[in-house]
Amino acid sequence: MVKKEVNRAFLSWLEIQKITEKHFATERLNHVRDIFLFSCYTGLTYIDVKNLNRNQISTGIDGEQWIYTHRQKTDSPTRLPLLPKALQLIEKYQNHPKCQDGTHVLPVLSNQKMNSYLKEIADVCEINKPLTFHIARHTFATTITLANGVPIETVSKMLGHKSLKQTQHYAKILDTKISFDMKALREKLQ
């Protein structure tokens, strides 16, 4: 039996901007938005963000801050350089009561509550996709990394995948990436 390819949803840059720039009337929605965006900029799953603690963040070989952890689902190691937006979110919550002792980097609510509030965020931001933490992971794989020229092998390592085949399911080859690559080829061939 041939497996049917699943079309995985992810956010565009425009949708990420809508969510980022929206100031919500309730603090809980701003809070959930930030944790969702952290996942978009790291590719970490809900449980891996929830379990992330300060001692899993340290200086990498390039002098930048990295996350060193193991994925809960597969126990595979993940080494992930932190992007500036992810670092800003960590700093924003460092004095939050749930984060002060260092056992948590972000004050993550239950998965059920987070996903319920993400639905509200999608409605308010007029995003017609079911916002979930898995969409954040797909967004990291596609819009954040692959669309910006990060090789699929690197994305695979950062996602903690054991094989490249796993990453290919996440990795949408975007028209913008095809256009970018072909433009570079045209210039080389001239």
Side-chain angles (χ1 to χ4, degrees):
M1 186 169 105
V2 177
K3 273 189 174 180
K4 187 177 173 187
E5 190 171 317
V6 179
N7 192 7
R8 299 181 190 271
F10 61 94
L11 297 180
S12 68
W13 271 114
L14 186 62
E15 291 166 326
I16 293 169
Q17 284 308 118
K18 268 187 180 179
I19 293 171
T20 301
E21 293 169 3
K22 183 71 180 169
H23 182 76
F24 298 96
T26 63
E27 202 47 45
R28 72 178 160 81
L29 290 182
N30 288 310
H31 175 111
V32 169
R33 182 251 344 258
D34 289 346
I35 294 165
F36 175 79
L37 288 172
F38 181 80
S39 187
C40 287
Y41 286 110
T42 61
L44 293 176
T45 60
Y46 164 81
I47 196 63
D48 292 332
V49 172
K50 184 174 175 52
N51 293 337
L52 188 64
N53 63 59
R54 289 230 191 266
N55 69 13
Q56 293 172 310
I57 298 173
S58 61
T59 304
I61 60 163
D62 56 2
E64 301 290 338
Q65 293 296 291
W66 287 48
I67 291 174
Y68 294 91
T69 187
H70 279 76
R71 288 199 58 214
Q72 180 166 317
K73 182 178 173 184
T74 61
D75 197 37
S76 57
T78 299
R79 294 182 312 281
L80 176 71
L82 283 164
L83 293 169
K85 297 215 189 240
L87 280 168
Q88 288 168 2
L89 291 167
I90 290 170
E91 288 169 19
K92 180 176 180 177
Y93 289 96
Q94 67 187 0
N95 293 322
H96 188 281
K98 287 186 178 177
C99 304
Q100 284 180 322
D101 65 359
T103 55
H104 294 96
V105 171
L106 295 170
V108 180
L109 305 172
S110 74
N111 199 13
Q112 186 177 7
K113 281 184 182 175
M114 293 290 284
N115 284 325
S116 170
Y117 298 153
L118 282 171
K119 284 184 180 78
E120 268 186 76
I121 289 170
D123 288 344
V124 171
C125 292
E126 297 177 354
I127 294 173
N128 297 321
K129 293 175 185 167
L131 276 196
T132 63
F133 261 83
H134 231 65
I135 280 192
R137 191 162 162 83
H138 299 309
T139 299
F140 175 76
T142 55
T143 309
I144 303 296
T145 56
L146 290 170
N148 287 299
V150 177
I152 194 167
E153 297 83 1
T154 303
V155 175
S156 184
K157 268 286 195 218
M158 289 189 293
L159 290 174
H161 286 165
K162 293 186 179 209
S163 78
L164 204 54
K165 191 170 184 169
Q166 285 176 282
T167 313
Q168 288 167 336
H169 290 293
Y170 281 82
K172 297 274 183 204
I173 300 299
L174 307 171
D175 287 347
T176 53
K177 176 72 173 118
I178 292 169
S179 173
F180 177 82
D181 291 344
M182 290 306 286
K183 182 180 181 203
L185 178 60
R186 274 189 216 98
E187 288 170 6
K188 278 183 185 175
L189 295 176
Q190 283 181 336

